[in-house]
Amino acid sequence: MANKKAPIDFQALLDEVNSDFPVYQALDQDGKVVNEDLIPDLSDDELVELMTKMVWSRVLDQRSTALNRQGRLGFFAPTAGQEASQLASAFAFDKEDVLLPGYRDVPQLVQHGLPLTQAFLWSRGHVAGNLYPEELKALPPQIIIGAQYVQAAGVALGLKKRNKKNVVFTYTGDGGSSQGDFYEAINFAGAYHANAVFYIQNNGFAISTPREKQTAAKTLAQKAVAAGIPGIQVDGMDPLAVYTVSKMARDWAISGKGPVLIETLTYRYGPHTLSGDDPTRYRSKEMDGEWQKKDPLIRFRNYLVEKGLWSEEKEEQVIEQTKEEIKEAIAEADKVPKQKVSDFLKNMFEESPQTIKEQIAIYEAKESK
């Protein structure tokens, strides 16, 4: 008996889902233009400003690492390699847009308006690091993986209901896209056509777990399909492509069409955090070397030098200015009084119950000695 042809071809269905997610790129790894359509309409001054922010971020990463090792900082998640993914995306948003960062997104937060001193205090676990200026449209970095996505969905719906022509933009990593919060957020925001742009910064590893072991999906961008929203992959080492895609996504969201999910293909050159992770145990020198060739600073530097907008002298000037800014900020952080146990107790309730008042009195007595 001849085999009857199956009425449904599951492999064809799978191939169709996997076929529509190209990686958008404007500059190749040498800084040469490969797609004119993705070159943004930025002035020369704006291009220089973006490069300045990216160099600033690289220096911040280096100095924060040194401060951590000196015991002067605290928690730190390295950002080197992700400057285009972080700073070029944030460059596409307005100060009135609301940023909900993860713990690796301190550079965007500072550029959005958080004083660097407070960023350092946050890294030290000091409550003063969470006391934001009223005009800063942001929440403190979320430590719970992916939780900022759920918060972003709620804030985005609030913006929509108030007819605000602003958006929420939020970030998680490839590991965050495996969390339940991730899908709940994009599904909720999609259902209500809320004003949000969601980023997955796919740096290849959730701590040590490779991205390909987290999901059978060929891309993380295609997870948007289940929520009924646009999903797109972009070269996360290419600042111009990241900016263009981000700007277009913002325009889409504020027009009432709903959220966008953007997967940036990027890489972190350092460990997951400086709290004991050793990337040499799960990444090869060959892999690191290949991604070093794609360095977003080298790529953008080459592009700007070719246009006569950047030089070694200018970059050195930015580096020295950033080092001085960091020196001043950490000195200010050092002046902030250290927290006491009685302070933690006082912060627990707006009005302390009697049991807490008794504990406060006990600790204040100890602390006064």
Side-chain angles (χ1 to χ4, degrees), residues 2-309:
N3 290 332
K4 184 179 180 181
K5 184 178 180 181
I8 299 173
D9 186 339
F10 286 106
Q11 185 60 51
L13 292 174
L14 185 60
D15 291 343
E16 184 177 349
V17 170
N18 290 333
S19 66
D20 295 329
F21 294 90
V23 178
Y24 287 89
Q25 184 186 67
L27 302 176
D28 65 16
Q29 66 184 40
D30 297 318
K32 302 296 184 184
V33 176
V34 293
N35 188 341
E36 284 284 356
D37 292 338
L38 290 178
I39 300 299
D41 185 22
L42 291 172
S43 68
D44 289 349
D45 287 345
E46 288 171 326
L47 290 170
V48 169
E49 181 183 357
L50 177 53
M51 181 62 176
T52 298
K53 291 177 184 292
M54 290 171 58
V55 173
W56 170 88
S57 184
R58 181 66 61 91
V59 177
L60 179 63
D61 174 87
Q62 295 166 348
R63 297 302 301 146
S64 295
T65 299
L67 289 166
N68 173 276
R69 289 172 177 164
Q70 293 167 12
R72 299 183 65 196
L73 191 55
F75 176 82
F76 179 65
T79 59
Q82 295 189 204
E83 291 87 358
S85 176
Q86 294 179 315
L87 278 303
S89 59
F91 201 60
F93 295 92
D94 294 344
K95 290 296 183 184
E96 292 300 308
D97 294 331
V98 185
L99 168 60
L100 273 69
Y103 52 76
R104 200 181 305 280
D105 301 310
V106 172
Q108 302 99 295
L109 192 53
V110 174
Q111 290 297 330
H112 201 56
L114 182 70
L116 185 55
T117 294
Q118 283 187 263
F120 287 149
L121 288 170
W122 176 82
S123 291
R124 291 177 174 183
H126 200 294
V127 67
N130 295 318
L131 303 178
Y132 283 12
E134 188 174 341
E135 66 274 11
L136 176 57
K137 306 299 183 185
L139 290 181
Q142 181 58 260
I143 294 293
I144 301 170
I145 306 298
Q148 63 273 27
Y149 260 49
V150 174
Q151 293 173 318
V155 175
L157 180 57
L159 292 175
K160 182 180 180 64
K161 289 177 73 68
R162 286 181 286 160
N163 296 313
K164 295 285 187 180
K165 290 298 181 182
N166 293 102
V167 303
V168 176
F169 60 114
T170 187
Y171 301 81
T172 193
D174 44 293
S177 73
S178 297
Q179 293 289 105
D181 287 358
F182 165 86
Y183 176 72
E184 291 161 10
I186 63 173
N187 186 66
F188 180 93
Y192 287 99
H193 293 86
N195 307 7
V197 179
F198 296 100
Y199 288 92
I200 305 171
Q201 297 192 91
N202 179 3
N203 61 27
F205 293 88
I207 306 182
S208 59
T209 303
R211 169 253 177 275
E212 59 269 15
K213 290 189 176 181
Q214 295 179 52
T215 176
K218 296 299 182 184
T219 71
L220 301 182
Q222 71 196 63
K223 294 190 175 190
V225 173
I229 67 174
I232 186 171
Q233 272 194 321
V234 62
D235 182 346
M237 310 298 267
D238 176 356
L240 297 187
V242 170
Y243 173 85
T244 297
V245 168
S246 299
K247 195 71 172 176
M248 293 177 68
R250 181 184 185 276
D251 291 344
W252 173 276
I254 63 173
S255 70
K257 296 177 181 176
V260 177
L261 179 68
I262 300 173
E263 177 187 0
T264 63
L265 300 176
T266 186
Y267 198 73
R268 56 170 166 83
Y269 293 143
H272 175 69
T273 71
L274 298 186
S275 302
D277 177 47
D278 179 6
T280 64
R281 298 179 64 183
Y282 55 86
R283 291 191 328 214
S284 67
K285 290 183 179 179
E286 290 74 22
M287 177 181 288
D288 285 346
E290 284 303 307
W291 280 97
Q292 289 283 353
K293 295 175 185 176
K294 302 175 183 178
D295 190 314
L297 293 187
I298 295 174
R299 186 180 306 198
F300 202 26
R301 182 187 300 126
N302 289 346
Y303 175 75
L304 294 181
V305 168
E306 183 70 22
K307 291 173 69 70
L309 298 176

